[in-house]
Amino acid sequence: MSETKVSGGIKPKHQRLVLLVIALVALIGAGLLAAYALSNQASYFYVPNDLIKTPPEQGRAIRLGGMVEKGSLKTRTDGITIDFVVGDGKARVPVRYTGITPDLFVEGSGVVAEGRMEGQTFVADNLLAKHDENYVPRQMGDMTEAQAKAVVAETK
Amino acid sequence: MIAEIGLAVLWMAAALAVLQLFSGISALRPGGKAMGGMVRPLAVMQGALVAVSFLALIDLFLETDLSVKLVAENSHSMKPFIFKLAGTWGNHEGSMLLWVTIMAVSGGIVALVEKRLREDTLIATLAGQAFVSLGFYAFLLLSSNPFERLAEPAPEGAGLNPLLQDIGLAFHPPTLYVGYVGLSVAFSFAIGALVTRDVGPAFARAMRPWVLGAWIFLTVGITAGSYWAYYTLGWGGWWFWDPVENASLMPWLAATALLHSVSVLASRNALRAWTVMLGVIAFSMSMIGTFLVRSGILTSVHAFAVDPERGSFILALLAIYIGGALALFGIRASTVTEGERFSLFSREASLVWNNVMLCGTLAIVLLGTLYPLMTEAFGAKVSVGPPYFNPVSAIFVLPMMVVMAVGPLLRWRKDKPGRITATVAVPALLTALVLLAVVVFAPGIRVLPMLGIAVGAGLARASLLPLRGRNLRRTPLSVYGMVVAHFGIAVALLGAAAESAFSTERLAAMNVGDTQTVGPITIKLLSIEPVAGPNWTALEATVSAAYKDGAPVTLHPQARTFTSPPGERTESALHTRWNGQLYAVLGNEGEDGRWQMRFWWKPFVPLLWLGGLLVAFGGLLALLGRVAHDVKRLRAEGKIAYRNSRKELLK
């Protein structure tokens, strides 16, 4: 049995090369695809001041972090939609959220909201509050130092 | 006393590992043969000693010895037995000791039972295993001593993180660890074979059960972890692309690729260098996963050791092992001679495709997981989530399903497309019909779930085809294993696609006595009462749920409050039917006295985890088949040897 017969007319060395090229193309393709998707889809973290200064496009998925202002939390009549204001000491953004709030979500405490800008309101799909003593959303580190300290002190 | 014994024994085991490494190295040098005899007994003793050390730690936790720092920080006298036990590994030091224990015990087992490998390759493998273990011994003994005493015994323990106080989570980490560490054995085999240039079918057959075993545990661990996240976090999702989830998925992807390539090497003596390379990659992924989870570089529910020193330590280990292995591979890969040839249309080629696509998926997950860390180094905070992972990974996963359907039907070495055209026409037609049906009957469904359902249905049919025309009684168990595992993938895909396509959600504020509907289910809130558990109190809702006009069932979602350490946890309630699952969560009480409640109707979602278990069961069948085959062969060889010796005697 000759080897050329086995490899279907292609020389053995070439056959290895073909496989290698296919594998490389697939991996490079994966890398390019991933790089493209990452530059497109990555959602960025904002504090209210950034949001006012450099507003993101409407509807793009972003994260907003800051403090829930005291006295701003209101529940709508459906009982599950809440409105509140997130501030960082420099700017304030109204937020709307429909769903069950995390246990440690209270006025005057830190929060990270995932969602998007709709008009002037940030519509949140998800609220990240502290899960337990070991889990403070990492993005809180992005606030101004005083704010971060306040949030950490608050959520500790 | 127990703590001191545990620590002393751990030091002794580390010393034995040093001996094991050096006697292994000198045995491989010219004239050092005599040293070779020591390696096996050293490996066995090392395994036994570490096991004693781990048992000592379990004992300390069961007794709640509060003079030990680790126990005081992670346990509590009031905790139920099972969580005292699980508390042993529910923390950084304990889980590292568990890691070393599994690794050393596996090394001992290799030393005891491995008979197929060439003696020098086995010695090199055990020396490699000792080298890897030593890094972890150093880590434990120098920076994370689990047996450290407190100057003054604590009056009471701090308790276990409430999130970890769940039976699913208690056994989830050790399951994954066995998987990770199983891959370390495969890594050592790869190193051993590279050192002695003995990469061939015998090496692959010796390595295969370890890869299979690791892969089974990883599969079970990921499936259980996904179900745990689903029912305990109260958010109704089963995969979040959390870095910690990815940390378990990446070794699984690499192990799946390795499992397939090691089979090619074992039965066809091809893909030699590639298999060794995958052995290195698979263990690298376990190490990267451990680094991500344990270094505190990521914040996650599971990352409970926020300590840069430990992070650097694991990173250094990672660099030494992976860098060293890659360097060795670079030097030796060219001496691993080319294996058997095969045509571009053959079983081998389809397995190469499978490998390429698994590695592509792995690359994408790795990139997405590390990208936020890389950008952070340049000052930009980015979070990468489902909008990236879902579509990008689907580009590799869906074609992989097609290869899974067709590959097993191909002949080894060389095949003709014409031979299987008629066979694959049926599942292809089925896929097309299901696709059409979904488009017609479920308009507005997103592209990925739609493709998932169609491809899942086609694959479910195609995965059974390798049994066609076979004598079912004489079919080897390993073939059944493959069929069951592939069928399981199809089942899981169907469950995942159905869940994301057809889930319905109801979010409402309810008074006691109120009624709501979600999908085909009518729900009534009957009462909300306080209840108490061993170390928690909770508010418990009683709801009755009726499917269409059927008899109602009662569910009890809870909101639990733990006192030590203080914490809250949602205990969702599930009602499983053959065609789906009802998921109920109790939220907070509003100012007007109404209770926030959340319900999901998730059609066919249990198929997802059933599929995962089927995949693992398929792996188990294959493993049993291999073991039975080996035992049979050993017996036959024994008989032949016996007959030959009789003949000698009669002469």
Side-chain angles (χ1 to χ4, degrees):
Chain A
M1 136 186 77
S2 79
E3 285 181 342
T4 35
K5 197 174 157 196
V6 172
S7 49
I10 311 169
K11 278 185 188 156
K13 275 229 158 152
H14 291 173
Q15 178 231 322
R16 255 168 95 93
L17 202 65
V18 167
L19 280 177
L20 198 68
V21 167
I22 291 172
L24 274 181
V25 166
L27 280 177
I28 292 170
L32 289 178
L33 195 74
Y36 173 75
L38 281 172
S39 64
N40 250 356
Q41 311 261 11
S43 74
Y44 290 84
F45 181 80
Y46 286 77
V47 292
N49 196 33
D50 306 335
L51 213 58
I52 305 295
K53 271 202 294 195
T54 49
E57 311 149 41
Q58 292 276 316
R60 187 163 74 84
I62 57 169
R63 283 180 164 186
L64 169 70
M67 309 284 286
V68 181
E69 281 196 2
K70 286 209 167 110
S72 71
L73 187 64
K74 284 187 189 65
T75 309
R76 295 193 182 179
T77 46
D78 65 356
I80 42 164
T81 302
I82 53 170
D83 292 288
F84 55 95
V85 174
V86 167
D88 61 355
K90 292 182 191 156
R92 316 166 67 235
V93 176
V95 179
R96 187 173 84 227
Y97 172 70
T98 306
I100 294 177
T101 52
D103 298 315
L104 293 148
F105 176 80
V106 284
E107 287 185 353
S109 138
V111 69
V112 172
E114 294 180 326
R116 55 194 53 75
M117 289 305 288
E118 285 182 12
Q120 294 304 307
T121 307
F122 185 86
V123 179
D125 306 321
N126 197 9
L127 296 183
L128 309 174
K130 205 183 72 155
H131 274 222
D132 62 70
E133 73 273 26
N134 292 318
Y135 188 44
V136 177
R138 183 175 183 76
Q139 285 83 356
M140 286 185 174
D142 256 14
M143 294 172 215
T144 65
E145 208 166 303
Q147 279 298 320
K149 268 186 194 152
V151 168
V152 168
E154 193 60 48
T155 49
K156 233 180 185 153
Chain B
M1 199 47 200
I2 301 278
E4 282 68 32
I5 293 175
L7 185 60
V9 167
L10 192 61
W11 274 105
M12 280 156 68
L16 288 189
V18 175
L19 267 180
Q20 184 180 330
L21 175 61
F22 283 103
S23 58
I25 291 174
S26 48
L28 293 173
R29 310 185 85 140
K33 268 230 150 125
M35 297 294 281
M38 277 173 66
V39 178
R40 277 186 198 239
L42 277 174
V44 175
M45 269 158 62
Q46 195 217 123
L49 284 180
V50 180
V52 169
S53 178
F54 188 62
L55 287 176
L57 190 66
I58 290 182
D59 183 67
L60 292 173
F61 268 87
L62 291 185
E63 284 179 22
T64 321
D65 184 337
L66 294 168
S67 66
V68 174
K69 192 167 166 237
L70 191 68
V71 178
E73 281 175 357
N74 293 287
S75 198
H76 192 283
S77 58
M78 293 289 287
K79 218 160 53 165
F81 171 83
I82 195 79
F83 296 123
K84 282 186 181 169
L85 177 67
T88 315
W89 53 78
N91 57 73
H92 168 77
E93 286 82 357
S95 60
M96 281 294 129
L97 183 59
L98 175 66
W99 175 294
V100 170
T101 306
I102 303 171
M103 193 140 92
V105 170
S106 320
I109 296 174
V110 171
L112 275 179
V113 305
E114 189 46 60
K115 301 217 160 58
R116 283 157 295 200
L117 272 189
R118 241 165 55 188
E119 190 64 21
D120 59 339
T121 309
L122 180 70
I123 287 171
T125 300
L126 289 175
Q129 184 83 356
F131 183 61
V132 176
S133 308
L134 268 175
F136 287 91
Y137 280 120
F139 189 31
L140 267 171
L141 293 168
L142 303 180
S143 101
S144 333
N145 174 11
F147 296 105
E148 193 179 332
R149 293 269 191 194
L150 289 169
E152 293 261 321
E156 187 47 277
L160 180 67
N161 182 341
L163 270 177
L164 304 179
Q165 298 202 29
D166 182 281
I167 195 70
L169 204 64
F171 293 96
H172 164 63
T175 313
L176 280 178
Y177 267 38
V178 174
Y180 283 2
V181 180
L183 291 179
S184 85
V185 179
F187 175 82
S188 305
F189 271 112
I191 299 299
L194 274 178
V195 167
T196 58
R197 299 185 175 87
D198 180 26
V199 181
F203 150 75
R205 280 189 206 111
M207 185 174 173
R208 180 159 58 186
W210 292 94
V211 180
L212 248 176
W215 181 82
I216 293 167
F217 276 96
L218 284 176
T219 310
V220 171
I222 291 171
T223 307
S226 152
Y227 193 64
W228 169 79
Y230 169 79
Y231 80 74
T232 205
L233 296 181
W235 53 290
W238 47 272
W239 195 259
F240 193 59
W241 297 104
D242 180 89
V244 174
E245 291 174 331
N246 293 348
S248 67
L249 179 66
M250 292 188 291
W252 185 86
L253 288 169
T256 310
L258 177 59
L259 184 63
H260 288 89
S261 79
V262 89
S263 292
V264 176
L265 181 54
S267 48
R268 300 293 310 162
N269 197 10
L271 304 184
R272 291 174 162 195
W274 177 239
T275 303
V276 173
M277 184 70 189
L278 272 179
V280 174
I281 291 178
F283 180 57
S284 310
M285 290 304 144
S286 323
M287 287 284 293
I288 287 176
T290 312
F291 168 68
L292 288 178
V293 177
R294 285 298 131 84
S295 62
I297 200 166
L298 299 167
T299 318
S300 165
V301 185
H302 307 54
F304 37 72
V306 184
D307 182 346
E309 186 199 328
R310 288 171 183 169
S312 332
F313 208 122
I314 302 182
L315 201 58
L317 288 185
L318 193 80
I320 294 170
Y321 296 148
I322 308 318
L326 290 180
L328 183 65
F329 182 81
I331 297 165
R332 286 290 163 83
S334 56
T335 66
V336 175
T337 47
E338 234 175 277
E340 295 285 323
R341 334 206 133 274
F342 49 86
S343 117
L344 286 176
F345 194 79
S346 64
R347 177 86 71 90
E348 289 96 322
S350 80
L351 286 164
V352 169
W353 270 113
N354 134 311
N355 268 243
V356 167
M357 279 182 278
L358 281 166
C359 291
T361 317
L362 176 61
I364 275 167
V365 177
L366 184 66
L367 211 61
T369 310
L370 297 182
Y371 188 72
L373 297 176
M374 295 189 286
T375 59
E376 210 179 315
F378 300 100
K381 296 240 169 169
V382 172
S383 47
V384 180
Y388 160 77
F389 286 108
N390 286 343
V392 178
S393 58
I395 290 174
F396 283 90
V397 170
L398 287 174
M400 186 154 61
M401 303 284 169
V402 178
V403 179
M404 263 173 70
V406 177
L409 304 171
L410 296 180
R411 286 194 176 132
W412 290 110
R413 215 168 65 82
K414 184 171 168 51
D415 206 341
K416 287 197 186 73
R419 196 182 63 81
I420 59 159
T421 317
T423 322
V424 294
V426 178
L429 197 68
L430 182 67
T431 305
L433 283 178
V434 172
L435 196 61
L436 193 69
V438 173
V439 171
V440 172
F441 293 110
I445 174 175
R446 279 168 298 136
V447 176
L448 282 183
M450 183 168 80
L451 289 176
I453 292 172
V455 172
L459 179 61
R461 174 71 191 96
S463 62
L464 301 177
L465 289 175
L467 290 178
R468 218 181 45 147
R470 270 180 181 267
N471 179 338
L472 290 183
R473 277 213 199 151
R474 303 194 58 171
T475 305
L477 262 185
S478 55
V479 173
Y480 277 112
M482 176 191 73
V483 167
V484 169
H486 286 184
F487 186 72
I489 295 274
V491 169
L493 180 65
L494 282 172
E499 193 271 341
S500 60
F502 305 123
S503 278
T504 48
E505 180 184 359
R506 172 74 66 196
L507 194 62
M510 297 173 81
N511 282 313
V512 170
D514 283 357
T515 302
Q516 285 286 342
T517 57
V518 54
I521 294 185
T522 312
I523 294 152
K524 189 172 182 191
L525 178 60
L526 298 178
S527 69
I528 297 211
E529 311 258 328
V531 291
N535 56 343
W536 46 265
T537 55
L539 283 170
E540 182 179 277
T542 304
V543 293
S544 79
Y547 183 82
K548 288 185 177 160
D549 297 326
V553 292
T554 313
L555 275 78
H556 300 282
Q558 293 177 341
R560 284 189 187 172
T561 307
F562 288 78
T563 45
S564 185
E568 317 221 349
R569 212 184 78 197
T570 304
E571 193 78 5
S572 57
L574 297 171
H575 170 56
T576 310
R577 290 174 50 86
W578 67 271
N579 62 347
Q581 207 165 41
L582 172 70
Y583 188 116
V585 180
L586 174 64
N588 311 320
E589 187 178 14
E591 287 151 27
D592 56 0
R594 287 188 297 171
W595 293 86
Q596 293 180 338
M597 299 216 66
R598 188 172 211 162
F599 304 100
W600 280 278
W601 168 245
K602 293 175 175 290
F604 298 106
V605 69
L607 289 184
L608 181 57
W609 300 290
L610 178 70
L613 291 181
L614 275 176
V615 173
F617 181 64
L620 185 66
L621 285 181
L623 185 61
L624 288 178
R626 297 289 171 215
V627 171
H629 184 260
D630 282 350
V631 169
K632 219 188 232 171
R633 211 185 55 181
L634 280 178
R635 251 197 221 145
E637 278 168 6
K639 260 186 200 160
I640 291 168
Y642 175 74
R643 265 188 220 142
N644 287 348
S645 63
R646 294 278 294 178
K647 270 184 205 157
E648 289 289 317
L649 279 177
L650 290 174
K651 262 178 196 170

